Amino acid sequence: MKKIAIAAIVGIVTLSLTSGVFAQVKPEDQIKFRKAAYSFSAWNMGKIKANLEGAYNAEQVKAAAEAVAAVANSGLGALFSPGTEKAIGEQKTAVKPELFQKTPEVVKLAGDFAAAANELVKAAESGDAAAVKAAHGKVSATCKACHDDFKTR
């Protein structure tokens, strides 16, 4: 089941990176929406980290993990069409043009992010803070891997 879900995610990301199916969203809105999605995900990752470093609230951690997984599984690849690697209107972007030239690597990174986020949800559902800490680290590592290769500093 897990392999099927990952294959579906990879397929969606590949389709969205390589076709005009999702072109209904204006390029400047693509940048705005993806920045909002990643900011929302980062905020929720921060909530989990705060719980791991302080008083642990299992319900808050579970809700935050579910939010991160929702972002990771939402088909964000549709918001990275060619031309959105540069500022458009008021929307600035930090994405490197290489993202659009290395589709197989990007698809793998997106799949890794989704898989790690789904594992974070499972860990959060268990209520085990140690498992959440390990899963949180894996999600963070997937974010860093993409940032290292495809985000300007």
Side-chain angles (χ1 to χ4, degrees):
M1 179 73 142
K2 183 176 174 182
K3 287 182 181 180
I4 293 170
I6 291 171
I9 291 165
V10 169
I12 290 168
V13 172
T14 301
L15 176 65
S16 64
L17 284 171
T18 59
S19 77
V21 172
F22 300 101
Q24 298 89 352
V25 179
K26 295 186 302 185
E28 59 269 27
D29 287 340
Q30 290 179 36
I31 295 169
K32 179 173 63 175
F33 296 158
R34 71 187 187 218
K35 286 174 17 182
Y38 290 123
S39 292
F40 181 69
S41 183
W43 176 61
N44 280 284
M45 288 291 286
K47 289 193 305 185
I48 295 168
K49 184 177 181 183
N51 272 275
L52 291 168
E53 293 174 348
Y56 189 84
N57 179 317
E59 287 304 311
Q60 188 177 60
V61 169
K62 182 176 176 279
E66 289 171 345
V68 172
V71 169
N73 291 293
S74 68
L76 282 172
L79 300 176
F80 288 90
S81 66
T84 64
E85 72 278 3
K86 58 185 180 276
I88 300 173
E90 297 293 315
Q91 291 300 319
K92 308 276 187 263
T93 183
V95 69
K96 291 180 181 178
E98 292 85 2
L99 179 125
F100 302 95
Q101 300 158 1
K102 298 182 177 182
T103 302
E105 290 175 45
V106 173
V107 168
K108 181 185 180 320
L109 289 169
D112 292 348
F113 175 44
N118 293 337
E119 289 300 316
L120 179 60
V121 170
K122 288 180 186 174
E125 289 172 344
S126 78
D128 180 357
V132 169
K133 184 175 182 175
H136 182 271
K138 289 178 183 175
V139 174
S140 294
T142 67
C143 296
K144 183 180 180 332
C146 191
H147 291 186
D148 286 350
D149 292 342
F150 299 111
K151 185 176 180 183
T152 61
R153 305 217 185 278

